[in-house]
Amino acid sequence: MADDSQIRIGVLSCTNIVRKVSRAINLAPNATVAAIASISNSIEEMKSFAASNNFPPTAKIHGSYESLLEDPDVDAVYFPIPASLHVDWAVRAAQKGKHILLDKPVALSVYEFDQIVEACEANGIQFMDGTQWIHNPRTAKIKEFLTDPASFGQLKTVQSCFSFAANENFLKKDIRVKPGLDGLGALGDAGWYTIQASLLANSFRLPKTVTALPGHVLNDAGIVLSCGALLDWEEGVTATIYCSFLANVTMEITAIGTKGTLRVHDFVIPFQETEASFTTSTTDCLSEHKTMNEIPQEACMVIEFARLVGEIKSRGAKPDGFWLSFSRKTQVIVDAVKESLDNNLERVLVSGR
C-alpha cells in the first residue's frame, strides 16, 4: 500500500516502455504504480502484465483511459501512447487534476502542444516529458562544464547525433513510422534528443534560424527515417543535429568552446546503467569524468517528477514551469526542421516564447 508521501501514478498501455518506466517507479521511494489502463488489452492481459512487472497488489485495473482519469487514487499519469493521441488525453488529464509525464514527441506540432500547455497552466498541473537522459547525474556535470567560462569558455558549436539501424519489422510496423500515430518519425523520436542536447549546450536558448540539411530519407508514407539540420544562434554559434533509423547506433554530443571541448559517446542511454562518463579537453589537458548513481536515469526522472508533484500536493507549490518551456522549445525546433524539409526552405526563422 502506498504511504501518504508516495505519488500514485497511473500508466496507460502495456508496452515495453511501460515495463521500463514501471520498474523505475518501483525503484523511486516517492512514487508507486497505482493503476493501469489500456484500450488494446483485455482486463486479464492487464492483470498478467501488472503481475509480471511487479505492480503493487493494490494497483487498479481500468478498462478505459476515462476510468483511470476519474480514479481519485491516481495523482499523475504516464502517457506512453502515440503522439497523435497526446493532445486529447493530456488535456483531459489536466482537466481532471492529474499531473502529466508524457512521452516524446510531446505533440505533432507546437500548435497542438500549446493546447496541453494551456490546460496545464489553467489547472496547476506539473508537466514533464519522458526524456530520461536529462535527469542523469552526468547531465548536471556536463552542464556545469559547459557553463564554466574558465574551462570551456564561450560555446562556438555543438554537434549531436542519435541513430540506430532499425530492422525491417520496425520500419514497416512501428508506430514511429506510421502517419496516423507518431507522424514525425526519426525527427520526433531520435531527433528530440539531439535537439535537447543542442538547447542544453546553448543554455536553453532558441536558435534564430533552422535549416534542414540535404540527404534526408522518407518512407513511402512520407515519414522521416533520417535527417539532419543546422541550427544558428547569434554571434556565430551553431549546432548540427543528425537523427536516423537507418544508421549504426550512435549517441554522441561534441561541444566546442573557445577554451575547451566536451565529448559524450552514450548520452541517450549510458552503456552502463549506474555509471556514465564524458571527456573534456583543453589546450594541454584531456580528462575523463565519471558519475556513479545507484539507480538508472529513468528512476531519477520519476523521483524528480514525483518530488515536484509532491510539493504541489502537500504544500500547494506552483508547478515547475521549466519542463513545459523545455519541451515547447524542443517542439518549436522540431516544427522548424520539418517545415524546412517539407518546403525545401534554405532556412526557417524560429519564434517562440
Side-chain angles (χ1 to χ4, degrees), residues 63 109 114 157 199 331:
S109 68
D114 278 345
T157 190
L199 285 169
Q331 187 73 55

Side-chain angles (χ1 to χ4, degrees), residues 17 30 36 80 172-173 185 202 214 216 246 303 327 329 344 346:
I17 188 61
N30 59 346
I36 185 171
K172 288 183 177 180
K173 298 181 179 179
N202 279 279
H216 66 277
L246 306 175
I303 289 171
S327 296
K329 288 176 180 178
N344 196 29
E346 286 192 2

Side-chain angles (χ1 to χ4, degrees), residues 48-114:
S48 176
F49 182 89
S52 65
N53 288 279
N54 300 313
F55 283 23
T58 53
K60 299 179 184 179
I61 309 297
H62 289 277
S64 68
Y65 293 170
E66 291 96 338
S67 176
L68 187 146
L69 295 185
E70 293 287 348
D71 190 336
D73 295 323
V74 171
D75 300 309
V77 182
Y78 170 54
F79 291 86
I81 60 177
S84 59
L85 302 177
H86 285 183
V87 174
D88 185 16
W89 289 107
V91 168
R92 292 194 201 190
Q95 291 170 344
K96 295 294 182 181
K98 309 301 184 187
H99 302 279
I100 296 169
L101 182 60
L102 187 66
D103 261 0
K104 49 77 197 149
V106 291
L108 296 179
S109 68
V110 74
Y111 170 78
E112 288 189 357
F113 185 57
D114 278 345

Side-chain angles (χ1 to χ4, degrees), residues 22 58 148 245:
S22 63
T58 53
D148 183 351
F245 294 155

Side-chain angles (χ1 to χ4, degrees), residues 20 61 113 141-142 146 150 164 191 210 223 261 263 301:
K20 184 176 184 180
I61 309 297
F113 185 57
K141 293 295 185 181
I142 289 171
L146 293 177
F164 56 90
V210 170
I223 302 299
T261 301
R263 292 182 176 87
M301 174 186 71

Side-chain angles (χ1 to χ4, degrees), residues 145-146 148-156 255-262 280-285:
F145 177 76
L146 293 177
D148 183 351
S151 299
F152 184 71
Q154 299 299 312
L155 178 69
K156 300 306 293 182
I256 304 171
T258 53
K259 296 181 180 179
T261 301
L262 173 137
T280 60
S281 59
T282 58
T283 303
D284 55 0
C285 181

Side-chain angles (χ1 to χ4, degrees), residues 204-227:
F204 308 105
R205 296 181 301 118
L206 280 169
K208 295 300 181 182
T209 64
V210 170
T211 306
L213 298 174
H216 66 277
V217 179
L218 310 179
N219 67 8
D220 291 341
I223 302 299
V224 176
L225 300 181
S226 181
C227 72

